[in-house]
Amino acid sequence: MAEVVAPAIEPADILWQDGVPESRLFGDVYFNRDNGLEETRHVFIRPNRLSERFARLPDNAAFVIAEFGFGTGLNFLAAWQAWRNSPVNQRTTLHFVSAERYPLTREDLTRALALWPELQDLGNELIRHYPPLVRGVHRVLLDGGQVRLTLYFGDVLDALRELEFTADAWFLDGFSPSRNPSMWLDDAILQIRHHSKPGTTLATFTAVGRIRRTLTDRGFTMTKVEGFERKREMLTGVIPESAFETPEAGARKPASIAIIGAGIAGSLLARNLAERGVKVLLVDGANNAGNAASGNLQGALYVKLGVEFNAQTQLALSALLFSQRYYAPYRNNGWYPTGLLQMAWGENEQQRQERFLDRNHYPPEVLAPVNAAEASNRTGIPVESGGLWYAHSGWLEPAALCKTLADHPNIQHCFGMEVQGLAKCDDQWVITGSGPDIRTDRIALCSGHQTPELASLTGMDGYFRFKPIRGQVSHLPEERIHSPKAVICGPRYLNPSNKGVCVTGATFDLHELSPRESVDSHRENLTELTTMLPELWKNEPPSETETEALEGRVGFRCTTHDYQPVAGSLDNLEGNKLDGLYLFTGLGSKGLTYAPLLAEFLADKLTGQPACLPRSLEKRVNPHRCYKMAKTEIT
């Protein structure tokens, strides 16, 4: 029997005593019984001088708070409240990085935060965006993206090793060292120093001598100060400004950037940077955003999670959960969370799903198995097999969404420009083409299957292992079918009706590169769809004449040699002078799902802010893995 992999994480075992949560595992309360919020302000907010430091932040700056033990989120909400109450500039960002081995369920979190009426608005927003209890990193955008919460569900030491950030202030919380010693090991204290810089402050409720001495040995100047209420003493600390500065320290002001490609990847990256206060130039050969593979009328928000919970599956799951949260503000304006059925179609897929369910445990808010009757009820049409139901997935209007994303005061457009040259000159990049030359500090290539051609303009010696795959969708008139009320995925996907049309597809043409619609491709889509959903048609399936008259669209997906996406810098690429050049492509047929998370990650990198991907997954999307020096034949 194979070892069972369980991506779900154990929730906190809560004992409610007089309305206050206690941890049964650690035998300790989460906060002071009499006034937990004032305790947080006394122990963490005021000693770290947060309000004063927030007020001094310059434009486009980020302030990073790191914490041991997220617990009920009370410390985070108090810091967020202090942020809101300070005269911070709209073009600044608060990052809060926290690890939690035993996260609260949404229900316990809701009950705990109800104790603080003055934090109600902030608490409700946190609860709405609180991620499912799945191991790993969760990036949560709050306050319109001005507040970014990075939650690591897992061991603190794993979080400190996996997460890339430099803190301006530390909240050393968690249960007391005597009750939770693993959180206070010397290894954890060493990692605190690694994630700090000159001027970084910390505060902790404990005054244990071992903790004070260890932090002192790591470069902090430690001070005992008055504790809260009956607790006599606590500790505060700071790394002196004269201390050695680590290479990662500090968030740098973003340089000018041009993004080439205004599809879903480029539009999301441009919007992400713009909302952080960065001025962006969006360049595309078309006359507007949302063309090429992103120009389809509809697309499904979908991934196929692996039977084994490996790095590939972890990346897919992280992308799915983040995209569901990211698109939420666009509900009914480009995003339609109808739910999605992944059919257990055919014997092989049925067996695969059985193995998947046997070896994995996902929270039901992520996915749940359904039988044929349940699947038929949820999709609104007869379905012959059950499958996996993703309650928070659905479909999008990619073309319309790209146009909305690209509409921001910090985004300038340079549409209708065919790029013909990319060259480094005097520490800047120069883009030449059908319009005036563009000079910029950084370039992000978000050009889908055209990326290899554009990358070659830099004069690099080798090539990238990318390939285009043709995909044709078919537009089905609503009056001819029983339109589903949720997305159905199998050998083909089928979306609910939009403006009288249901989109189905897409073909996966490895050797066909024609951009023109093909009757054979329409025929292939209809055959597969009819086999998958034999009771779909109101009368008979389309005749040959009707098939020839069908409308649709052809797009080209960009895929990599290992079918994993690419997002990262090309610095130090085997002798090529490509500093300031970034790639964001290779999303394949899952671009709508992968693009939000990878745009967030690339924006983190471009602005020097904490990364939303752990180091293990950052390696997985590194563009260097796709680069080859010698021009050998790809097999």
Side-chain angles (χ1 to χ4, degrees):
M1 179 73 177
E3 181 182 353
V4 175
V5 177
I9 193 167
E10 306 94 321
D13 187 4
I14 300 294
L15 174 66
W16 291 90
Q17 294 274 45
D18 301 322
V20 175
E22 292 184 9
S23 167
R24 282 194 173 94
L25 178 63
F26 297 106
D28 202 356
V29 293
Y30 280 87
F31 44 71
N32 183 279
R33 287 186 174 278
D34 298 323
N35 197 334
L37 180 55
E38 184 54 34
E39 177 189 42
T40 289
R41 290 168 177 155
H42 178 92
V43 175
F44 300 117
I45 306 300
R46 288 192 282 270
N48 279 296
R49 308 188 316 278
L50 292 188
S51 296
E52 171 191 339
R53 296 164 76 187
F54 291 163
R56 294 203 311 260
L57 286 175
D59 283 1
N60 299 327
F63 192 93
V64 182
I65 300 172
E67 176 190 56
F68 282 7
F70 187 74
T72 64
L74 179 60
N75 295 342
F76 165 63
L77 294 183
W80 184 5
Q81 184 188 52
W83 175 266
R84 273 197 170 181
N85 291 340
S86 299
V88 293
N89 193 293
Q90 289 297 311
R91 293 186 295 276
T92 55
T93 305
L94 173 64
H95 279 268
F96 196 95
V97 181
S98 185
E100 178 56 64
R101 177 59 184 85
Y102 299 98
L104 271 67
T105 64
R106 190 184 301 271
E107 293 72 25
D108 282 333
L109 184 71
T110 301
R111 184 174 176 182
L113 295 182
L115 296 171
W116 318 112
E118 69 176 279
L119 300 176
Q120 181 177 0
D121 290 345
L122 305 183
N124 287 343
E125 187 171 349
L126 171 62
I127 291 163
R128 284 197 304 273
H129 293 88
Y130 191 62
L133 302 194
V134 174
R135 299 174 189 271
V137 185
H138 302 270
R139 170 62 60 81
V140 181
L141 307 185
L142 302 160
D143 236 353
Q146 196 181 7
V147 174
R148 283 174 151 81
L149 170 64
T150 303
L151 269 179
Y152 187 95
F153 287 161
D155 292 330
V156 166
L157 267 176
D158 290 338
L160 291 171
R161 290 166 181 157
E162 278 275 64
L163 297 177
E164 184 180 340
F165 68 93
T166 302
D168 294 286
W170 282 93
F171 294 177
L172 301 191
D173 199 359
F175 300 109
S176 67
S178 62
R179 297 176 185 269
N180 187 18
S182 63
M183 189 175 286
W184 300 92
L185 294 173
D186 286 358
D187 285 348
I189 305 299
L190 177 62
Q191 287 293 325
I192 290 174
R193 178 63 183 90
H194 175 71
H195 288 284
S196 302
K197 62 184 179 182
T200 295
T201 61
L202 67 79
T204 176
F205 63 90
T206 186
V208 173
R210 178 181 66 84
I211 304 299
R212 177 176 55 81
R213 290 189 294 273
T214 304
L215 286 167
T216 299
D217 290 342
R218 298 294 178 243
F220 285 89
T221 298
M222 301 302 298
T223 305
K224 284 186 179 181
V225 297
E226 183 182 354
F228 182 72
E229 291 188 346
R230 291 184 295 274
K231 194 170 190 317
R232 189 176 64 180
E233 295 177 324
M234 53 173 273
L235 295 174
T236 64
V238 63
I239 297 180
E241 292 289 347
S242 59
F244 176 75
E245 187 165 356
T246 60
E248 290 183 301
R252 59 191 179 273
K253 185 175 181 179
S256 59
I257 180 167
I259 296 173
I260 302 178
I264 192 64
S267 298
L268 280 164
L269 179 58
R271 183 61 173 241
N272 198 306
L273 290 167
E275 290 182 344
R276 300 189 199 210
V278 180
K279 299 291 186 182
V280 178
L281 179 64
L282 190 57
V283 181
D284 199 285
N287 292 323
N288 50 53
N291 286 278
S294 300
N296 288 345
L297 296 178
Q298 293 179 301
L301 190 70
Y302 170 63
V303 292
K304 194 168 186 177
L305 299 171
V307 172
E308 307 300 332
F309 193 71
N310 51 26
Q312 181 174 335
T313 306
Q314 185 180 357
L315 178 62
L317 177 62
S318 297
L320 177 66
L321 298 180
F322 181 81
S323 63
Q324 290 170 348
R325 293 191 297 271
Y326 181 88
Y327 290 129
Y330 301 97
R331 187 183 183 114
N332 297 325
N333 185 26
W335 163 234
Y336 304 88
T338 58
L340 180 147
L341 174 69
Q342 179 190 337
M343 290 182 65
W345 173 255
E347 185 176 354
N348 288 341
E349 179 60 18
Q350 289 175 8
Q351 292 176 354
R352 196 197 77 86
Q353 290 193 15
E354 287 173 2
R355 295 196 305 274
F356 172 84
L357 293 169
D358 181 55
R359 299 182 189 183
N360 296 275
H361 177 209
Y362 285 84
E365 63 183 301
V366 176
L367 62 88
V370 292
N371 59 32
E374 292 171 317
S376 299
N377 181 58
R378 296 187 187 205
T379 60
I381 62 173
V383 176
E384 293 188 341
S385 63
L388 302 176
W389 174 253
Y390 294 78
H392 298 290
S393 278
W395 62 275
L396 300 109
E397 296 179 272
L401 189 60
C402 287
K403 293 178 178 62
T404 299
L405 292 167
D407 183 14
H408 189 281
N410 284 337
I411 302 176
Q412 288 186 306
H413 304 146
C414 185
F415 292 149
M417 178 174 176
E418 297 294 337
V419 176
Q420 297 165 357
L422 300 172
K424 202 73 182 287
C425 180
D426 297 329
D427 294 326
Q428 281 195 312
W429 283 93
V430 179
I431 305 172
T432 57
S434 56
D437 289 358
I438 298 168
R439 296 184 69 92
T440 182
D441 294 306
R442 300 180 194 175
I443 293 175
L445 297 181
C446 306
S447 311
H449 72 286
Q450 296 177 329
T451 300
E453 179 183 349
L454 288 171
S456 69
L457 298 176
T458 65
M460 64 176 59
D461 299 323
Y463 68 96
F464 287 98
R465 291 183 286 176
F466 300 152
K467 56 186 175 183
I469 297 180
R470 180 183 182 274
Q472 180 173 316
V473 297
S474 302
H475 298 168
L476 306 180
E478 181 182 12
E479 63 268 15
R480 293 286 281 112
I481 66 171
H482 299 287
S483 174
K485 61 184 183 181
V487 181
I488 303 175
C489 292
R492 289 296 185 270
Y493 68 80
L494 178 67
N495 289 311
S497 173
N498 178 41
K499 300 173 184 175
V501 169
C502 295
V503 175
T504 189
T507 59
F508 193 84
D509 306 320
L510 288 169
H511 306 294
E512 174 62 61
L513 295 178
S514 172
R516 294 187 295 274
E517 288 181 50
S518 160
V519 174
D520 285 342
S521 293
H522 283 312
R523 192 179 295 119
E524 179 185 331
N525 282 336
L526 294 181
T527 299
E528 293 283 1
L529 186 63
T530 302
T531 303
M532 181 176 101
L533 299 169
E535 297 186 55
L536 173 68
W537 307 97
K538 289 184 178 178
N539 297 305
E540 295 296 319
S543 64
E544 183 64 22
T545 301
E546 289 175 309
T547 301
E548 292 174 356
L550 270 183
E551 295 182 354
R553 195 172 184 281
V554 174
F556 288 88
R557 317 170 183 100
C558 179
T559 60
T560 61
H561 67 291
D562 57 6
Y563 292 95
Q564 291 293 280
V566 163
S569 168
L570 295 181
D571 290 358
N572 304 316
L573 185 63
E574 301 192 35
N576 294 280
K577 296 181 180 179
L578 301 173
D579 291 356
L581 185 63
Y582 296 75
L583 288 191
F584 183 13
T585 186
L587 304 178
S589 60
K590 304 297 189 294
L592 294 173
T593 307
Y594 280 107
L597 178 65
L598 295 181
E600 177 78 3
F601 166 70
L602 202 49
D604 291 339
K605 287 294 191 179
L606 283 160
T607 58
Q609 297 178 17
C612 65
L613 287 185
R615 297 180 191 274
S616 55
L617 295 187
E618 181 177 344
K619 293 178 182 177
R620 191 161 195 86
V621 300
N622 192 314
H624 290 217
R625 77 183 199 280
C626 300
Y627 185 71
K628 286 289 186 182
M629 285 293 291
K631 287 187 175 290
T632 56
E633 182 177 350
I634 301 175
T635 58

